[in-house]
Amino acid sequence: MADTAKKQIVVIGLGMTGLSVVNHLLRKGGNVDIKVIDTRVTPPGAEQLPSNVALHAGGWNMDWLSSADQIVASPGVALATPELQDAAAKGIEIVGDIELFARDVSAPVIGITGSNGKSTVTSLVGEMAKAAGVNVGVGGNIGFAALDMLANDHALYVLELSSFQLETTSSLDLASAVFLNLSEDHMDRYTGMDDYRDAKLRIYDQARLAAWNQDDVQTKPLSHEKAISFGFSDGEYTLTLRDGQEWLTAKGEQIMPVSDIALVGRHNVANCLSAMALADSVGIDRQAQCQAMREYRGLAHRCQQVLEQDGVLWVNDSKATNPASTLAALDGLQLAGRLHLLVGGDGKGADFSSLKPVLNTLNVTLYCYGRDGHAFAVLVDAPVVTETMQAAMDIAARDATSGDMVLLSPACASFDQFTNFMVRGDTFAAYAKEIATQRAGSQVSG
């Protein structure tokens, strides 16, 4: 009789997020019965599930779903999935891991979303907090699962939030939130750009301060009692000139020269402006902010130099999973030689034509690989089309000469050939070093 009174919770999707949900629910205790459904035959993390948590793998279990009191859905499972639609029609509550986090967190939380740059801004704000001596937890859609961090009792949380996570979040009380930018992405999940934008705009719903990008009006909150903005020429956080030099400027106060920023690229100047606004919202002191901006050099897989041999630079920008990310990598790129650009993978229904004008201005060879490589081949006159990234690298290595750059900036997701963008980037880096070792060996033997 006691079992029937238990709250039935069904977790959809395992992996890092699903495990964090299970562990969080077990830590909370209470009279609950937790079950996990994963449509994959061998879901990652299955071996880490406690023995008292049932797992249904390889498909849906509709009996479990229909009898659930609450469903906790992985961000990778769309709410439009028919099985979840049926559950919602029955009045069953469907939430995500961030909503569970929101219901239990007591410390201030900063939230960051956007099509591009959110991982960099999330990490940079975290570095600012660390420089100020704050016990900060940095995670969400990057690094640590949000629920796992709750166990560490941080004084501040900085979360990267994807549109997928925001879809199932309704009560996240943010100290400040930023929507960095909007560009076409995930068109295989959303019905159009307005649908995608609406999911991102949810970040402002419970935020005490809304920060938006003056250079991308799509990020402006539809209505908010307290909104601030950043931008290259306008906003509370902007750029001003001093002795012919650009300076980061906060609410009229010139803070530091742009040339002092360790991060490379114009897009990272905007990222610093937004990070300052977020850091100010929770009282992180200016000296710590400046220290972080002078020292923080970015994350792996984001325009990361992995090798230089015989004057050829190999750069890993595997995190470029949409066209706008690749455009950011190409912005202001200056090379003595030729650019060997590797693009392709799972295009997620995106339109790649925005790359064509920029490619036309560059001395570039375009290598198109993977499932949607053919969609890039029409952008240039003489594309190199291969099945795999490694095959493209072999050709680039053969043709590249001193002063050239081999850049992996795929403008696509990795899922056609790699588990995620990190594995893709690591594979690129490892194979570049393998190629270099082989070339060095042949030079010695010759």
Side-chain angles (χ1 to χ4, degrees):
M1 199 70 178
D3 285 346
T4 61
K6 284 186 176 182
K7 182 177 181 180
Q8 301 294 314
I9 302 178
V10 177
V11 180
I12 309 296
L14 205 47
M16 183 179 75
T17 299
L19 282 172
S20 76
V21 171
V22 170
N23 291 332
H24 171 74
L25 293 172
L26 291 173
R27 282 196 303 269
K28 281 176 65 71
N31 195 22
V32 297
D33 182 25
I34 306 166
K35 297 182 175 71
V36 177
I37 296 173
D38 197 303
T39 58
R40 294 167 290 190
V41 175
T42 54
E47 71 284 354
Q48 299 176 50
L49 265 184
S51 58
N52 61 337
V53 176
L55 170 65
H56 180 92
W60 292 92
N61 187 318
M62 298 310 297
D63 289 339
W64 287 5
L65 279 182
S66 60
S67 61
D69 296 302
Q70 182 185 65
I71 295 171
V72 186
S74 164
V77 181
L79 291 176
T81 302
E83 290 79 5
L84 291 187
Q85 288 282 295
D86 289 346
K90 292 182 174 72
I92 300 170
E93 181 187 38
I94 302 174
V95 299
D97 68 309
I98 300 301
E99 179 61 20
L100 295 184
F101 173 90
R103 295 177 184 184
D104 278 0
V105 70
S106 56
V109 184
I110 292 172
I112 296 112
T113 196
S115 298
N116 299 295
K118 55 186 179 291
S119 295
T120 296
V121 174
T122 301
S123 300
L124 178 55
V125 174
E127 291 303 310
M128 290 175 171
K130 291 174 188 175
V134 177
N135 177 12
V136 61
V138 180
N141 193 48
I142 175 180
F144 297 103
L147 289 170
D148 286 345
M149 294 193 297
L150 276 181
N152 296 319
D153 198 25
H154 295 290
L156 172 69
Y157 296 90
V158 184
L159 300 184
E160 174 185 322
L161 299 171
S162 70
S163 57
F164 298 172
Q165 290 171 313
L166 291 167
E167 288 175 13
T168 53
T169 303
S170 58
S171 57
L172 184 58
D173 179 13
L174 294 171
S176 58
V178 66
F179 182 176
L180 295 169
N181 46 59
L182 184 73
S183 61
E184 188 179 61
D185 201 359
H186 305 301
M187 290 299 101
D188 54 346
R189 175 140 166 176
Y190 295 103
T191 57
M193 286 297 289
D194 287 345
D195 189 26
Y196 178 39
R197 180 192 181 215
D198 288 345
K200 293 284 192 188
L201 284 170
R202 289 174 64 92
I203 197 169
Y204 294 137
D205 287 352
Q206 306 293 328
R208 296 174 217 173
L209 179 72
W212 62 283
N213 184 354
Q214 283 276 357
D215 299 315
D216 189 342
V217 71
Q218 296 294 314
T219 66
K220 186 176 183 179
L222 301 179
S223 63
H224 202 281
E225 290 183 1
K226 191 174 182 183
I228 59 171
S229 62
F230 61 95
F232 290 134
S233 58
D234 203 359
E236 287 85 353
Y237 294 79
T238 188
L239 302 180
T240 56
L241 287 175
R242 177 172 167 181
D243 299 328
Q245 248 192 332
E246 283 187 321
W247 280 62
L248 299 175
T249 303
K251 299 179 180 178
E253 178 188 358
Q254 291 183 324
I255 305 302
M256 64 180 268
V258 168
S259 58
D260 284 1
I261 296 171
L263 288 165
V264 176
R266 191 69 175 171
H267 58 295
N268 279 319
V269 177
N271 288 339
C272 285
L273 291 170
S274 65
M276 289 169 59
L278 298 172
D280 280 352
S281 75
V282 291
I284 296 173
D285 71 73
R286 192 73 73 198
Q287 183 178 349
Q289 294 180 32
C290 291
Q291 178 183 334
M293 289 187 287
R294 289 189 177 103
E295 295 177 355
Y296 178 65
R297 298 188 178 279
L299 297 164
H301 312 293
R302 293 156 183 83
C303 291
Q304 174 194 26
Q305 179 179 330
V306 297
L307 180 71
E308 183 173 7
Q309 187 192 47
D310 299 331
V312 177
L313 189 62
W314 294 74
V315 178
N316 168 21
D317 190 36
S318 182
K319 183 61 171 67
T321 57
N322 56 52
S325 294
T326 298
L327 283 171
L330 300 177
D331 184 28
L333 189 65
Q334 295 182 337
L335 290 174
R338 190 168 188 80
L339 175 65
H340 301 263
L341 177 62
L342 279 61
V343 294
D346 178 359
K348 301 175 290 182
D351 177 4
F352 303 113
S353 60
S354 60
L355 293 171
K356 187 170 184 176
V358 177
L359 292 173
N360 286 341
T361 67
L362 296 171
N363 179 15
V364 61
T365 298
L366 192 66
Y367 300 80
C368 314
Y369 73 89
R371 179 189 301 165
D372 292 323
H374 64 277
F376 295 90
V378 298
L379 301 178
V380 296
D381 290 335
V384 177
V385 181
T386 66
E387 183 176 344
T388 67
M389 179 186 74
Q390 292 93 324
M393 293 173 69
D394 285 334
I395 300 170
R398 182 194 69 197
D399 294 345
T401 58
S402 181
D404 289 3
M405 175 189 289
V406 181
L407 171 63
L408 171 68
S409 190
C412 288
S414 59
F415 304 126
D416 62 328
Q417 296 183 354
F418 301 96
T419 306
N420 52 47
F421 75 84
M422 293 88 78
V423 172
R424 176 172 62 187
D426 289 340
T427 303
F428 173 84
Y431 196 58
K433 291 169 184 173
E434 182 180 328
I435 291 169
T437 300
Q438 291 173 352
R439 178 175 289 187
S442 64
Q443 289 172 347
V444 170
S445 61

